Amino acid sequence: MSVSNRLRIDSQFTMDDLAAELGLSKSTVSRALSGSGRIGAETRERVKACAEKHGFRPNLVAKALAGQKTMNIAAVLPLESASSQMMFYHECLSGMVVRASEDAYSILVTMAQADDTSALEELIRNRKADAVILTQLKHDDKNVALLREADMPFVVIGSGAGDDVAQVDSKMQESCAAFALKCASGLHDGDKVLFVCGSLDVEANNKRLSGFLSAMESAGIESLRYAVCTELADLQQDANLKQWRLMLCSDDVVCLALLEMLRREGIAVGSDVLVASFHDSVLLEQSVPAVSALRVDARTLGSTAAETALKMLSGAEFAQASYVDCSFQLRASTGSVDSSVTANDNDSRRLA
């Protein structure tokens, strides 16, 4: 009985063989397989089909060493994040991992403490990654300054780092303004609205605050009164929490703390007071009553950030600022039947 030696032969098939069979240069074949450089779609498909036919797999370790690449993209997560925020970062990471793997890259997770750049300094010093994605942007962020100084490719999830920084965001200010208007649509003259804000050291919270103020100024309710609380503890001194008809929270962490405070005071959410959050989570969705919230597509945030980083590394053109969609999750806490409404320009035009 004869045994085919095709597998043995194909396992020795090289990039030179691939180039010779296709009548292409070795550099063209290499760029087609790596996805870097400007290669026509037809040529790229021919190369990939031929490589698959012969079972050819490029030696990624050799490729990395030859180009002095790590084949890693570092994702920097805030060490001080509350456990309830981990779902957002997990979804971001899932999007990054899927997109990076398409170009044979891996995601290296690094935890960084506020105002402490030592973890990122160590990563840069030891060349552990080819690019960095910052998943949270702080006001006057030291990590941004460090990456600029190191001349390392990086992308920020969020906005406000400067026009020279690649950013992926959700049009936070506009989306929060439109969502606040949606939540306030049933209010009447004399009603009072409170925005309970998280730390303004986080740039996203500054965008949420600006969105809230913009919405209140354009709500069209003549005697609507509103206020901002930047410290949740200050509310414990409020003798009459029932005075607020609508309470908007900067994120799910703040909102969960507020809900607990209202429960202790015997204030019924959805009837005595309406509550909503500018950031959604499964905990708000499963709360009783379920809390209306602005939902950002975190997975797409992550995949778009990874896509931008990969384009930087390959020398391809990339968008300096990219945006993902948001949706309004309207639930019982604002007196709504559960529904999802996509944020769109029609909502934003009301703010002009």
Side-chain angles (χ1 to χ4, degrees):
M1 180 178 67
S2 62
V3 178
S4 171
N5 65 353
R6 179 178 180 274
L7 290 178
R8 181 183 62 81
I9 294 172
D10 282 359
S11 67
Q12 298 172 353
F13 202 81
T14 67
M15 192 175 294
D16 288 324
D17 297 328
L18 200 59
E21 181 169 324
L22 292 168
L24 299 171
S25 68
K26 186 176 177 180
S27 62
T28 298
V29 170
S30 176
R31 290 197 301 273
L33 290 172
S34 67
S36 62
R38 296 185 178 181
I39 301 295
E42 182 180 348
T43 300
R44 194 183 306 277
E45 290 306 314
R46 281 182 61 215
V47 172
K48 288 184 176 180
C50 188
E52 185 175 346
K53 179 181 74 173
H54 292 287
F56 175 77
R57 296 290 183 273
N59 187 331
L60 295 179
V61 174
K63 176 184 173 184
L65 290 174
Q68 293 186 324
K69 294 181 179 180
T70 66
M71 304 307 291
N72 290 329
I73 296 174
V76 181
L77 275 61
L79 184 62
E80 64 273 18
S81 298
S83 58
S84 56
Q85 294 174 295
M86 281 300 106
M87 181 57 71
F88 171 80
Y89 292 115
H90 179 269
E91 290 179 5
C92 272
L93 286 171
S94 295
M96 292 179 204
V97 168
V98 171
R99 178 59 190 90
S101 66
E102 294 175 2
D103 282 29
Y105 265 83
S106 298
I107 298 297
L108 176 68
V109 177
T110 299
M111 306 296 287
Q113 200 164 8
D115 299 322
D116 182 0
T117 60
S118 58
L120 189 54
E121 288 172 2
E122 191 267 344
L123 181 144
I124 294 171
R125 183 170 54 252
N126 293 315
R127 296 187 54 81
K128 292 183 177 180
D130 302 324
V132 172
I133 298 173
L134 298 179
T135 61
Q136 185 185 77
L137 180 65
K138 295 291 187 70
H139 186 63
D140 294 328
D141 200 304
K142 292 182 179 180
N143 287 322
V144 170
L146 175 63
L147 289 164
R148 276 195 178 113
E149 184 179 350
D151 196 25
M152 188 167 194
F154 71 101
V155 182
V156 171
I157 293 181
S159 56
D163 294 339
D164 62 324
V165 176
Q167 302 167 71
V168 180
D169 203 359
S170 56
K171 293 189 176 179
M172 181 67 69
Q173 182 172 329
E174 296 90 336
S175 297
C176 288
F179 180 62
L181 281 175
K182 185 76 70 175
C183 293
S185 60
L187 300 186
H188 303 93
D189 288 349
D191 282 340
K192 298 175 69 176
V193 182
L194 179 67
F195 177 52
V196 187
C197 189
S199 171
L200 292 178
D201 285 339
V202 177
E203 278 298 322
N205 285 336
N206 286 286
K207 296 290 189 296
R208 290 161 177 157
L209 174 58
S210 295
F212 169 77
L213 295 174
S214 176
M216 293 300 101
E217 291 168 5
S218 61
I221 303 175
E222 186 174 344
S223 61
L224 182 68
R225 290 172 290 175
Y226 56 90
V228 176
C229 174
T230 57
E231 294 291 340
L232 191 62
D234 292 344
L235 286 183
Q236 295 174 350
Q237 312 302 320
D238 193 332
N240 183 19
L241 289 175
K242 285 187 179 180
Q243 68 174 302
W244 306 105
R245 181 55 187 151
L246 171 63
M247 303 180 81
L248 291 163
C249 301
S250 57
D251 58 48
D252 53 330
V253 176
V254 170
C255 192
L256 289 167
L258 175 63
L259 291 175
E260 180 59 30
M261 188 181 302
L262 294 172
R263 290 189 187 101
R264 289 198 304 265
E265 296 295 323
I267 298 174
V269 173
S271 54
D272 294 339
V273 62
L274 307 180
V275 176
S277 169
F278 284 151
H279 182 73
D280 197 17
S281 75
V282 66
L283 297 177
L284 297 185
E285 186 178 5
Q286 295 177 353
S287 180
V288 180
V291 178
S292 294
L294 180 66
R295 176 174 292 174
V296 179
D297 187 346
R299 184 180 290 265
T300 301
L301 274 177
S303 64
T304 305
E307 169 89 13
T308 303
L310 290 165
K311 286 182 176 180
M312 284 180 169
L313 293 172
S314 68
E317 293 183 3
F318 61 91
Q320 199 70 29
S322 304
Y323 299 96
V324 304
D325 291 334
C326 296
S327 61
F328 305 156
Q329 305 300 313
L330 304 176
R331 300 173 180 136
S333 69
T334 52
S336 306
V337 177
D338 284 11
S339 64
S340 177
V341 179
T342 301
N344 55 47
D345 291 338
N346 291 329
D347 297 303
S348 300
R349 278 195 287 269
R350 295 179 60 192
L351 306 173

